């Protein structure tokens, strides 16, 4: 994603874009949840956004899907959320916390502004391998509101080799236990089971396919998830980190939901 490494790259690429022209528990009732779950109408062929470094997808491509979303962090700077929504984006994942002591500088701003435009959104935590899952869950709970109508929390599980403070790896069984500890505490607090975001290498290194009872958000920017994660069901697919989204001034992560707009509305009612 999603962590500092990719965010820094996005910020660097965003600077280049300035130089080189490129083509381009609050209370809400069920009606409120349904209103948040509204997504822009799209054609039966889905949506297609521009990309600064496109991959030539074949077979089932991202633009076969009708519900697209973004994930953002402070590196995207100030975002024009009304413009993002009007472009066809139907949901957003916002970086909230990292490790046990870091809060994204723009989380509260993005949380408020996405709600103001009626954008379905959830908050994600970038996991560190130098702190316990329980400690990291406490930090997330301290900073992310428990808000009815919000998408489930997200646990971003990947290696972080470029971290200046925590580049370590842990054995697979320990990694899964740390993730389960985070999931258990966050699930109890929000009454929502966190979605697990992961990358191809981390998924296979740690046999995440053996984790039951969670929904997956899979990163696969050079092929369909069925190619990179054989047999794994997924709810969200992150298909690019270099997308062009109106209202976002840097290269953007773009994702799709596995299902139609009607399916997404049903999913929101069930999961929010």
């Amino acid at each position: 994603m999603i962590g500092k490494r990719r965010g820094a790259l996005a910020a660097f690429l965003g600077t280049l874009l300035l130089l080189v022209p490129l083509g381009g528990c609050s209370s809400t009732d069920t009606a409120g949840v349904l209103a948040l779950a509204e997504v822009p109408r799209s054609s039966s062929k889905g949506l297609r956004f521009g990309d600064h470094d496109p991959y030539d997808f074949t077979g089932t491509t991202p633009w076969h899907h009708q519900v697209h979303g973004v994930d953002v962090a402070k590196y995207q700077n100030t975002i024009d959320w009304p413009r993002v929504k009007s472009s066809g984006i139907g949901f957003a994942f916002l970086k909230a916390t990292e490790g046990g002591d870091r809060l994204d500088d723009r989380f509260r701003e993005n949380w408020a502004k996405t709600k103001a435009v009626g954008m379905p959104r959830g908050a994600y935590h970038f996991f560190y391998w130098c702190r316990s899952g329980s400690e990291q869950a406490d930090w997330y709970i301290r900073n992310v509101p428990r808000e009815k109508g919000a998408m489930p929390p997200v646990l971003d599980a990947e290696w972080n080799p470029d971290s200046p403070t925590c580049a370590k790896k842990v054995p697979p069984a320990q990694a899964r236990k740390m993730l389960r500890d985070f999931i258990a505490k966050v699930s109890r607090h929000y009454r929502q089971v966190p979605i697990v975001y992961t990358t191809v290498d981390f998924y296979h290194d740690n046999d995440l396919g053996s984790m039951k009872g969670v929904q997956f958000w899979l990163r696969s920017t050079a092929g369909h998830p069925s190619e990179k994660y054989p047999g794994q069901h997924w709810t969200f697919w992150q298909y690019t980190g270099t997308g062009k989204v109106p209202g976002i001034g840097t290269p953007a992560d773009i994702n799709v939901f596995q299902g139609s707009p009607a399916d997404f509305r049903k999913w929101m009612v069930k999961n929010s």
Side-chain angles (χ1 to χ4, degrees):
M1 230 167 194
I2 263 182
K4 294 182 295 184
R5 170 167 48 88
R6 294 194 54 233
L9 176 60
F12 172 70
L13 290 175
T15 301
L16 290 182
L17 294 177
L18 298 177
L19 303 175
V20 182
L22 291 169
C25 196
S26 64
S27 60
T28 55
D29 56 18
T30 303
V33 176
L34 286 170
L36 273 178
E38 289 299 323
V39 295
R41 293 185 180 276
S42 57
S43 72
S44 60
K45 295 183 179 180
L47 297 170
R48 185 165 186 170
F49 291 87
D51 202 308
H52 296 291
D53 186 20
Y55 178 78
D56 186 18
F57 287 98
T58 58
T60 302
T61 68
W63 33 96
H64 280 93
H65 295 271
Q66 295 177 279
V67 184
H68 292 234
V70 294
D71 58 89
V72 301
K74 65 181 181 180
Y75 307 102
Q76 274 66 56
N77 302 314
T78 300
I79 295 172
D80 184 343
W81 285 108
R83 190 177 177 203
V84 171
K85 185 177 181 183
S86 67
S87 75
I89 290 296
F91 63 87
F93 290 117
L94 315 175
K95 184 174 183 181
T97 51
E98 182 172 326
D101 58 4
R102 292 176 179 266
L103 175 67
D104 187 87
D105 293 342
R106 293 190 179 273
F107 170 65
R108 292 192 176 100
E109 172 189 335
N110 286 329
W111 188 254
K113 288 184 175 181
T114 46
K115 183 175 183 178
V117 300
M119 174 78 73
R121 83 280 199 250
Y124 74 82
H125 173 81
F126 186 76
F127 203 85
Y128 265 28
W129 303 101
C130 300
R131 293 179 182 261
S132 72
S134 178
E135 182 182 1
Q136 294 186 64
D138 288 338
W139 180 243
Y140 182 92
I141 290 167
R142 178 177 169 182
N143 287 284
V144 178
R146 184 168 62 184
E147 183 176 296
K148 189 173 181 181
M151 296 169 74
V154 175
L155 170 55
D156 176 1
E158 55 185 292
W159 297 130
N160 193 17
D162 299 323
S163 170
T165 60
C166 183
K168 69 180 288 187
K169 293 185 176 182
V170 297
Q174 182 181 349
R176 293 193 301 273
K177 182 183 184 304
M178 292 172 72
L179 298 178
R180 285 196 298 268
D181 288 345
F182 178 96
I183 289 169
K185 182 170 280 192
V186 169
S187 297
R188 287 194 297 270
H189 180 79
Y190 294 95
R191 298 182 181 179
Q192 297 167 296
V193 178
I195 298 164
V196 176
Y197 167 95
T198 195
T199 59
V200 175
D201 60 338
F202 189 90
Y203 175 92
H204 292 292
D205 286 351
N206 296 284
D207 188 25
L208 289 199
S210 66
M211 292 184 66
K212 306 303 180 184
V214 297
Q215 300 183 74
F216 279 99
W217 170 15
L218 302 177
R219 174 174 170 81
S220 183
T221 60
H224 191 268
S226 62
E227 302 170 25
K228 305 298 182 179
Y229 306 83
Q232 178 61 61
H233 178 77
W234 54 273
T235 303
F236 297 95
W237 165 26
Q238 184 185 80
Y239 65 87
T240 184
T242 54
K244 300 178 184 180
V245 176
I248 300 179
T250 65
D253 294 339
I254 312 180
N255 312 270
V256 297
F257 171 78
Q258 190 180 58
S260 67
D263 293 330
F264 183 70
R265 287 189 285 271
K266 292 176 184 176
W267 182 89
M268 279 292 298
V269 171
K270 181 179 179 180
N271 290 275
S272 62

